[in-house]
Amino acid sequence: MPRAGIQAAQPALRFIPPDYSRWMYSLCRAALPWLLRARGLVHFETSGSESLAALFAEAQSGRCRLLIAFRHPSTTDPLVMAQLLWREVPRAARRHGLSLKAPVHSQFLYDRGIPLWAGAAAGWILSKLGGIPIQRGKLDRLALRTARELFAHGPFPLAIAPEGVTNNHGELVSPLEPGLAQMAFWCCEDLAAAGRHERVLIVPIGLQYLSTSDDWRAIDRLLGRLEDLIGLSTTSSRRPADPDQVLEPRYQRLIALSERLLSLLEGFYHLSEHVPAVDLLERLDRLREQALSVAEAHFQLSPRGSVIERCRRIEQAAWACIYRDDLEELSEVERSLADWAAREADLRMAHMRLVEHFATLSGSYVAEKPSIDRYGEVLMIFWRAVAWIRGREEERPPALGPWRVRMVVAEPIDVLECSGAYRRDRRGAVERLTAELRERLEAAIG
């Protein structure tokens, strides 16, 4: 079962102010090659680094402000973005005779929850790199105000992942959150109020992780291990697959794996007692709905918005029970009840965490293009979900790497060209700018 993370109420979450340190940047830059190798990233293909170098030169000379919007398919993305900014862009600048002032760096937004699972040291390091923590699912005014101030007046560009969370798909862009577009329009307003005339540019960055091999045996090993874990192994499924075999039997195994895992979870939520759903996607939607409703009922939340939006509201409601400002004021009995409420909140939040693992799955991603990369992405979603259910998140799956990384710098979006429309219709302008950004990110990974 998922490990119990919270045994007692905790002090309230505090804002970790960005406190950029040049020595921390230098230390992390020196460690970057080792960190990348540890993640199995062995080759980097960069398209458009010269244009990004030119934009950094403009920004450093005071002619523009840059908002870097990068795709977020993996938790490894921050390391890849560091490779792009710290190494690829300076190399491109040298090749084209551009003079860039060191460091070539960006400040960035990150989820305030990261130091909760990665440790307080992670929050300290992110702060020293200029990171700005934001609590998802609420109007985090302090974080937004800090990011807005640094974007307009700080020493570096600002980087944001507009998808908000990792989607674990290399060729699928999740719905974008509107906050990035709003931040860009705020910057236009702040520059105008200060009498400054810099351009405000959004730079879309496409990221993809691609297998360096066409050997299907690693995929089949992962399939077999998952079949073992959920009790699906058969003589035929355990037999080593011929690398030259047709893909249909492998896809049938993937479908069987999906159906078995869904059946187990449906049994856990007593969904099998009802009329069976027609197909896998309908069953998945029903499972997500049931798991979210369990958590929402506990926190007395209404089921509004997308799956991701509902997850974020549940997280905030749970955090309100777990991280409290009033602990020192409580009597002994009140503190015991607060601890009980915190454990209950953590337990109910686990239903939401389960949904997070399956939030980006669809019924056609592999069928549309049965590549090694798509099989690997979907199987890793299953692996992480199964490992979490078993309380074994640290257990390593059969290796699918090493990987090559494709980074594409798309054509920037000049936000000033949209600022007139923003003054007339703020919501509509934000929606149109977000849609344009999505189109460019999709083109960058097409």
Side-chain angles (χ1 to χ4, degrees), residues 287-415:
L287 174 66
R288 289 188 289 221
E289 180 63 34
Q290 179 65 17
L292 288 176
S293 68
V294 170
E296 287 168 337
H298 178 79
F299 296 113
Q300 300 182 342
L301 298 173
S302 58
R304 295 182 290 104
S306 67
V307 168
I308 294 299
E309 290 168 339
R310 293 168 70 182
C311 287
R312 298 289 72 77
R313 283 199 302 275
I314 291 168
E315 181 178 67
Q316 280 302 315
W319 283 6
C321 295
I322 296 169
Y323 303 100
R324 300 177 50 159
D325 278 316
D326 61 348
L327 294 182
E328 294 182 359
E329 304 167 8
L330 301 181
S331 68
E332 187 172 341
V333 170
E334 288 173 323
R335 177 57 191 260
S336 295
L337 291 173
D339 293 342
W340 188 358
R343 288 194 294 272
E344 285 282 346
D346 188 48
L347 181 63
R348 299 297 177 172
M349 188 166 54
H351 297 278
M352 178 273 290
R353 296 297 183 207
L354 177 65
V355 172
E356 281 187 321
H357 285 289
F358 299 113
T360 59
L361 280 179
S362 68
S364 60
Y365 186 66
V366 173
E368 291 171 352
K369 183 181 177 182
S371 65
I372 282 182
D373 295 315
R374 291 199 179 193
Y375 266 96
E377 289 161 12
V378 170
L379 288 174
M380 285 305 299
I381 290 174
F382 286 150
W383 174 271
R384 283 187 285 266
V386 169
W388 179 82
I389 291 169
R390 297 167 60 230
R392 304 280 185 86
E393 295 98 319
E394 77 287 350
E395 186 175 337
R396 289 182 175 271
L400 298 182
W403 308 97
R404 58 189 176 96
V405 183
R406 180 183 296 157
M407 300 174 282
V408 177
V409 181
E411 186 72 19
I413 303 171
D414 192 331
V415 183

